[in-house]
Amino acid sequence: MPDVTAVRTSVLPPYAAHLRVYEPLAAYPGPERARWQAYAARYGPDAVEAAQAVAPAVLAEQRGALAELLARTPRALPERESERAFVRVVDGVTYVCPWATRLRSWQAMEELAESLPAALLDTVLPPVVRAAAQADRERWRAAHPDDRPWILTNRWEVPVRWFLPFGTEDRCFLPAGPPDRPAALFYLTPMAQARRRVARGYRALRERVPSGALASGVEELGRWLEEFHPRSLVELDYGGLVHLLGTDLPDEDSVGEIEAGVAALRAGDGREAARMYETVTERWRRVHALRYAS
């Protein structure tokens, strides 16, 4: 958990949701394990157990990225990999989710290249900058062939497939507190449970709607979860999207609705499954539309 007092601005967390995996310390190689253990110990059990601690940490990461961009010579990527992480302690076990900011920045750059027109992309990120970043990534990938991000991020909406690993009992809503403690809505579940739910949803989709894009997305999600330690924790964090849900936030139940939709699909009730799916997608369609509001 970073020192969120290091940089102070009025910037709110970005309108993005995050899917995170926290691995137990035992999952990390010896030297890395010792480093993360010391990192977590710096803050004490009361700090890392605080359920809302992740929200200011996300804000700190964003502020750090803005500082990089506003430097005299803007940097599209961090010069080195972050040594920070999100930390949770559950039932006396310490779990760590490394920020891996440099790795995620490479991925974000690739996504940006796919979404922007060429002329605009060249203005935002000149070709020479992109080429240098790509060369850096290739060198890094050769030295770290098995590394993968512990965090997936999606802007302006929560992808439907992200609701599958969770149940309504995993929900935690925390109202806003002091200025550095924005409202938080997240789900936290054991990896074994997350994998079972994703597998169950995938089987139902393959049997009932095998040609749908949702099934392939769920398959990809399942493969990502399989990359981590079986005793990990999986977290869905609504992040800055809580500011777009307004008065609906305390009662937002997309996880429960998708859970009901999968149950209906498995029972052969396609109409009810479609109704639940449409309820969720329509809600997030309205949120996504705010992207273009002035």
Side-chain angles (χ1 to χ4, degrees):
M1 187 172 58
D3 178 5
V4 296
T5 65
V7 183
R8 289 194 177 277
T9 74
S10 59
V11 179
L12 289 171
Y15 296 135
H18 312 277
L19 192 64
R20 304 187 185 97
V21 172
Y22 295 77
E23 293 190 284
L25 287 174
Y28 296 92
E32 192 175 359
R33 182 189 315 152
R35 179 167 63 86
W36 288 130
Q37 190 167 19
Y39 178 89
R42 284 166 52 195
Y43 300 96
D46 292 339
V48 296
E49 285 181 333
Q52 210 173 8
V54 167
V58 172
L59 189 55
E61 186 183 28
Q62 183 204 11
R63 288 167 174 169
L66 288 175
E68 293 278 340
L69 290 174
L70 294 175
R72 184 179 297 274
T73 303
R75 291 187 289 270
L77 291 171
E79 292 184 345
R80 60 185 62 86
E81 189 54 276
S82 173
E83 296 184 353
R84 292 182 172 183
F86 300 113
V87 180
R88 287 197 180 276
V89 175
V90 178
D91 296 332
V93 178
T94 300
Y95 298 85
V96 175
C97 175
W99 283 11
T101 305
R102 187 170 173 81
L103 173 58
R104 289 161 53 215
S105 296
W106 275 317
Q107 294 176 322
M109 184 176 292
E110 290 178 354
E111 293 171 4
L112 194 66
E114 294 173 358
S115 63
L116 290 181
L120 181 56
L121 177 64
D122 288 347
T123 301
V124 175
L125 290 172
V128 64
V129 172
R130 300 202 307 276
Q134 184 61 31
D136 285 346
R137 180 169 190 183
E138 292 305 322
R139 285 192 293 269
W140 182 90
R141 183 180 286 162
H144 306 84
D146 298 325
D147 269 23
R148 68 285 188 252
W150 287 262
I151 306 170
L152 303 181
T153 297
N154 197 78
R155 297 182 300 277
W156 293 100
E157 63 180 335
V158 181
V160 171
R161 61 186 178 277
W162 285 13
F163 298 120
L164 276 174
F166 307 94
T168 53
E169 70 275 14
D170 302 321
R171 187 180 194 271
C172 183
F173 169 66
L174 295 160
D180 62 348
R181 298 280 185 176
L185 175 59
F186 65 90
Y187 291 78
L188 190 68
T189 198
M191 176 62 79
Q193 183 71 282
R195 287 175 177 171
R196 279 195 294 269
R197 289 171 175 149
V198 170
R200 189 162 55 234
Y202 178 67
R203 285 195 298 270
L205 287 166
R206 291 293 295 173
E207 290 173 2
R208 304 293 179 179
V209 282
S211 60
L214 182 57
S216 61
V218 171
E219 181 181 19
E220 182 179 348
L221 174 61
R223 289 176 177 172
W224 180 67
L225 293 176
E226 289 292 336
E227 294 287 330
F228 299 95
H229 193 280
R231 296 189 182 277
S232 300
L233 300 176
V234 186
E235 178 183 64
L236 170 58
D237 179 6
Y238 278 47
L241 296 182
V242 297
H243 302 292
L244 302 182
L245 289 166
T247 56
D248 293 338
L249 177 60
D251 300 319
E252 204 284 333
D253 190 28
S254 295
V255 164
E257 289 157 346
I258 290 300
E259 197 174 27
V262 170
L265 200 60
R266 296 178 67 202
D269 188 348
R271 179 174 297 180
E272 177 63 10
R275 188 178 74 84
M276 288 291 97
Y277 179 78
E278 182 59 31
T279 297
V280 173
T281 54
E282 177 56 30
R283 175 184 301 120
W284 290 102
R285 195 177 295 124
R286 292 195 302 269
V287 172
H288 190 270
L290 295 173
R291 177 178 186 176
Y292 306 102
S294 59

